[in-house]
Amino acid sequence: MTTEIDKAAERVAKLQAQADKISAPLANAQAQLQSAQEEEAERRAKRAAIYNRRIAGSWMERARHAADSGNDAHARFVELLSEEPWFTAYVEYRAARYKRGHVVTEAQRAQAALGEPVTAPEQRWHGAAIVEEIVKEVERQAAKRGAEFGRELDEAREAYVSGTD
């Protein structure tokens, strides 16, 4: 048994020597890796700081440029929209509402200046009402066109049934 123990001990010693021989280069490689990772982290931190300073110093101009980049498209949209007869009519309608607002406001000032009770009503503005009015008008016109189509179908059916088609 002693010989087996001696053989096992000898084998362990050889493997330990081989491990020691390999562990030194492994430790060096691990140290190099750690150093490279630290250098990379430092490089990234410096670049991040430069980038952050650049953004912090130029964000207003960049934001203004980004916002202004849609100006041409907006102008084209408004130009095309303004050429639409329904839009022109709607603008005229809304302008009349604004004119009414000025008349009401002036009447309130005049009544107050004369010491009279203010009987002119407060102007009511409904921001979402514009969209609602457009939607209502679209629905009204769509229903009207749908009814016309329904009448055309009725006439076509009547013509077919009566044999006058």
Side-chain angles (χ1 to χ4, degrees), residues 3-125:
T3 51
E4 283 188 33
I5 291 175
D6 290 339
K7 285 182 182 179
E10 187 177 310
R11 184 161 184 211
V12 167
K14 283 182 183 179
L15 289 172
Q16 185 65 47
Q18 288 176 351
D20 289 343
K21 196 179 205 183
I22 293 173
S23 68
L26 178 60
N28 288 341
Q30 288 174 331
Q32 287 175 340
L33 176 61
Q34 179 68 28
S35 175
Q37 288 173 332
E38 289 171 1
E39 287 175 14
E40 179 64 12
E42 186 176 323
R43 184 189 73 79
R44 286 175 166 269
K46 285 179 182 176
R47 289 186 57 83
I50 291 168
Y51 175 82
N52 291 339
R53 277 193 293 278
R54 198 172 82 210
I55 294 298
S58 66
W59 75 268
M60 289 177 90
E61 179 60 32
R62 292 169 62 136
R64 188 176 306 111
H65 176 64
D68 293 345
S69 67
N71 288 351
D72 290 341
H74 182 263
R76 282 192 316 275
F77 172 76
V78 169
E79 181 181 334
L80 291 171
L81 189 60
S82 296
E83 292 172 2
E84 293 291 328
W86 68 267
F87 183 76
T88 303
Y90 188 77
V91 169
E92 290 172 12
Y93 163 72
R94 293 304 295 174
R97 299 295 296 168
Y98 277 101
K99 289 176 185 177
R100 180 188 182 279
H102 290 295
V103 169
V104 169
T105 300
E106 195 61 27
Q108 290 170 344
R109 284 186 200 143
Q111 288 175 336
L114 293 172
E116 296 177 0
V118 177
T119 58
E122 290 292 322
Q123 179 65 10
R124 292 173 293 198
W125 297 103

